[in-house]
Amino acid sequence: MDLKFDDQKTFFFTLLLLVSVSYGRQVDNNTKRSNIVLEHHHQVTNLPGQPPDVDFKHFAGYVPVNDNNGRALFYWFFEATSHPQLKPLVLWLNGGPGCSSVGYGATQEIGPFLVDNDAHGLKFNPYSWNIEANMLFLESPIGVGFSYSNTTTDYNALGDDFTANDAYAFLHKWFLEFPSYKMRPFYIAGESYAGKYVPELAELIHDKNHDPLFRIDLRGILMGNPETSDVEDWVGMVDYAWSHAVISDETHKIIGRSCDFKSENPWINEDCNQSVAELFRQYKEIDIYSLYTSTCIGDSASSTDKSPQFIFPSKSTMVPRIMGGYDPCLDDYARAFYNRPDVQKALHVSDGRLLKNWSICNQSIYDNWSDSKQSVLPIYEKLIAAGYRIWVYSGDTDGRVPVLSTRYSIAALGLTITQPWRPWYHQKQVSGWAQEYEGLMFATFRGAGHAVPIFKPSESLAFFSAFLREESLPSSR
């Protein structure tokens, strides 16, 4: 196909890009891994506490997204454990807004290394998602984790659109540095508030893919316990709390009678405000992210660095995230690990002398978030019409973005059901239930809280594999 160029500058930029891609393909065809200078510069070779016998490469560092303002996003990238040149690329985003994909996704959930309970090392994750794909974890937006801006006014503009645009700029800069991944099948995955980040970024990629110079081979999106539509999310959270005996019949009735979640400010009604506050008072006695597991007891439980992964008008700090089946104090171990100078040096954050203050969630970002779309369901409709694959899953013991919220949101789409509600299986046990629609698949994870891969690591890896392979979930033992 012939391309027209407006000027020589565009031509030479295109030529450079094509040469880079060609180089990457040559590397892949020889089943070798890319070895350009920047990849060597960002390769992590001496990570403290890394498990022995790691047979894949991983890279970490900064990618500038705005040179004028000095904005840069931090990433950690893990090649697939085998045949990385043949496997897709998956970007993982955590939510908040303000929470770290490195602290949660990479080293508590789906990465190959998990923080150990003494904060002095890492343990190997046998259910890491880089068994199936090349995994890219991004700390986004600026102010999250190690990502930063040298322009203070940037922090006043943070919101959904700002985040999507910087993530898009990051991807193109990253592809120039890792050209062998430019033409790979690409997916975006995430959880919680990333239920908005993921489709928003996917829409931006879709809209800009008409330009062949900047095309990204986006194939689909995957979201867990995602914030989706404010009205359905709130109604689902209230109904879930009542149906799981967290709030009384009376509180449930008052909320139903006084809270108009479709209005711009339902909290103007004092009865609504008081009854929703009562809901959160009850949840503070347990763990809103995992109803049936223990909480982190001790000094760490009172830490102020335990930001919620959602927006609530009171801006109150909620209880810690609790990881059922694992130590509920993992957030503290992650904070201790990433604030070690030798760890930061190994990840190319600093020279080992200038320590950066890393927190797993940034409360200031959460408090001052300026732009949150009320619903991403119109984006769902747009992506479904364009033929992208959309899978959504819910851990069914999460009270903050509960399974009812997601079911209400999907029902609002009015999609045609192609495969009715049924159990799905893993290792001859019911892992949850699933239903397929025209353009979307929804599944539950039985007994899992907010961060599903921590509760059900083997099941989540099997689920992820089915998503990438475009296979249906097993419907029999």
Side-chain angles (χ1 to χ4, degrees):
M1 180 177 68
D2 294 332
L3 299 176
K4 296 182 180 179
F5 302 95
D6 294 332
D7 51 43
Q8 290 183 342
K9 183 178 180 181
T10 304
F11 171 79
F12 286 116
F13 173 81
T14 305
L15 182 61
L16 177 62
L17 178 61
L18 291 175
V19 169
S20 297
V21 171
S22 175
Y23 171 79
R25 284 174 175 169
Q26 288 179 354
V27 171
D28 284 351
N29 288 338
N30 293 326
T31 66
K32 295 179 181 178
R33 306 190 182 191
S34 49
N35 285 312
I36 63 173
V37 174
L38 189 60
E39 289 185 349
H40 278 306
H41 176 68
H42 280 183
Q43 185 173 346
V44 179
T45 57
N46 59 344
L47 182 64
Q50 177 176 304
D53 302 324
V54 172
D55 59 356
F56 56 86
K57 295 180 181 178
H58 55 114
F59 306 84
Y62 288 102
V63 170
V65 294
N66 186 297
D67 292 332
N68 290 335
N69 288 13
R71 290 205 305 273
L73 298 182
F74 181 82
Y75 76 91
W76 198 351
F77 170 60
F78 301 89
E79 286 187 344
T81 56
S82 64
H83 306 294
Q85 71 279 1
L86 301 177
K87 293 182 178 177
L89 174 67
V90 177
L91 173 68
W92 174 270
L93 302 171
N94 275 89
C99 294
S100 168
S101 300
V102 167
Y104 282 126
T107 46
Q108 290 193 33
E109 301 183 58
I110 61 173
F113 310 136
L114 303 176
V115 288
D116 212 347
N117 59 10
D118 59 3
H120 293 296
L122 301 166
K123 55 187 177 183
F124 185 70
N125 178 11
Y127 305 107
S128 173
W129 286 14
N130 79 322
I131 293 173
E132 295 292 341
N134 301 282
M135 297 298 303
L136 176 60
F137 298 88
L138 178 64
E139 292 197 310
S140 174
I142 54 166
V144 173
F146 294 124
S147 297
Y148 70 91
S149 175
N150 292 327
T151 304
T152 57
T153 55
D154 280 348
Y155 295 96
N156 299 326
L158 295 181
D160 286 12
D161 288 341
F162 186 103
T163 302
N165 283 310
D166 267 11
Y168 182 78
F170 165 85
L171 285 172
H172 282 289
K173 290 287 188 69
W174 191 87
F175 281 132
L176 288 175
E177 297 168 354
F178 292 79
S180 64
Y181 291 92
K182 170 67 176 175
M183 307 304 293
R184 300 291 179 85
F186 178 68
Y187 300 88
I188 314 172
E191 68 186 14
S192 193
Y193 195 81
K196 294 191 175 180
Y197 291 161
V198 170
E200 288 163 352
L201 177 57
E203 180 185 37
L204 186 59
I205 292 172
H206 170 74
D207 289 346
K208 292 182 178 294
N209 263 355
H210 66 276
D211 187 338
L213 290 177
F214 300 103
R215 188 177 186 280
I216 295 173
D217 190 13
L218 178 65
R219 301 290 182 89
I221 59 177
L222 175 68
M223 293 159 291
N225 290 78
E227 287 206 35
T228 306
S229 176
D230 291 353
V231 173
E232 283 75 17
D233 286 347
W234 274 110
V235 174
M237 183 173 65
V238 171
D239 287 353
Y240 185 90
W242 172 72
S243 66
H244 286 70
V246 176
I247 59 173
S248 68
D249 294 350
E250 291 73 23
T251 298
H252 185 247
K253 289 177 182 177
I254 294 172
I255 294 175
R257 183 175 65 243
S258 63
C259 293
D260 180 8
F261 292 120
K262 294 181 180 179
S263 68
E264 291 185 4
N265 185 15
W267 323 111
I268 197 171
N269 184 305
E270 187 60 24
D271 286 342
C272 175
N273 197 44
Q274 291 294 328
S275 55
V276 171
E278 170 63 15
L279 180 149
F280 282 100
R281 273 193 295 270
Q282 296 304 325
Y283 265 129
K284 288 183 73 173
E285 298 300 316
I286 53 172
D287 174 29
I288 193 172
Y289 297 103
S290 173
L291 269 64
Y292 306 119
T293 53
S294 301
T295 58
C296 182
I297 304 299
D299 292 340
S300 61
S302 61
S303 170
T304 58
D305 185 32
K306 294 285 189 176
S307 303
Q309 291 207 31
F310 59 91
I311 291 177
F312 179 58
S314 70
K315 305 295 193 293
S316 61
T317 300
M318 301 305 299
V319 295
R321 288 170 50 102
I322 306 303
M323 306 308 179
Y326 282 69
D327 190 321
C329 302
L330 276 173
D331 287 6
D332 295 318
Y333 309 149
R335 187 186 311 106
F337 183 76
Y338 287 113
N339 277 306
R340 289 174 51 180
D342 55 348
V343 170
Q344 293 191 9
K345 183 177 182 180
L347 295 177
H348 309 118
V349 173
S350 66
D351 60 6
R353 296 186 298 272
L354 181 60
L355 186 68
K356 289 187 180 292
N357 183 23
W358 184 92
S359 61
I360 199 158
C361 291
N362 186 326
Q363 184 70 40
S364 178
I365 291 177
Y366 166 77
D367 288 339
N368 298 296
W369 198 251
S370 62
D371 164 37
S372 178
K373 288 183 174 58
Q374 290 188 345
S375 175
V376 291
L377 291 179
I379 301 179
Y380 275 41
E381 294 173 336
K382 181 177 180 178
L383 297 177
I384 290 171
Y388 297 102
R389 189 158 71 260
I390 299 177
W391 279 28
V392 182
Y393 62 91
S394 286
D396 63 11
T397 65
D398 174 28
R400 188 50 194 89
V401 191
V403 62
L404 285 183
S405 294
T406 304
R407 292 176 74 174
Y408 291 168
S409 293
I410 293 173
L413 288 169
L415 300 173
T416 300
I417 297 173
T418 58
Q419 293 290 333
W421 192 262
R422 60 173 176 81
W424 70 277
Y425 296 84
H426 179 67
Q427 296 178 348
K428 299 183 178 181
Q429 297 294 328
V430 173
S431 292
W433 282 262
Q435 184 155 286
E436 296 182 36
Y437 302 83
E438 191 173 306
L440 184 146
M441 201 285 296
F442 172 67
T444 71
F445 280 79
R446 187 167 64 99
H450 190 66
V452 167
I454 289 184
F455 298 87
K456 302 291 181 179
S458 179
E459 292 89 337
S460 70
L461 177 60
F463 181 87
F464 179 61
S465 176
F467 168 72
L468 294 179
R469 299 171 191 271
E470 302 186 40
E471 298 173 348
S472 294
L473 296 172
S475 58
S476 64
R477 298 182 193 274

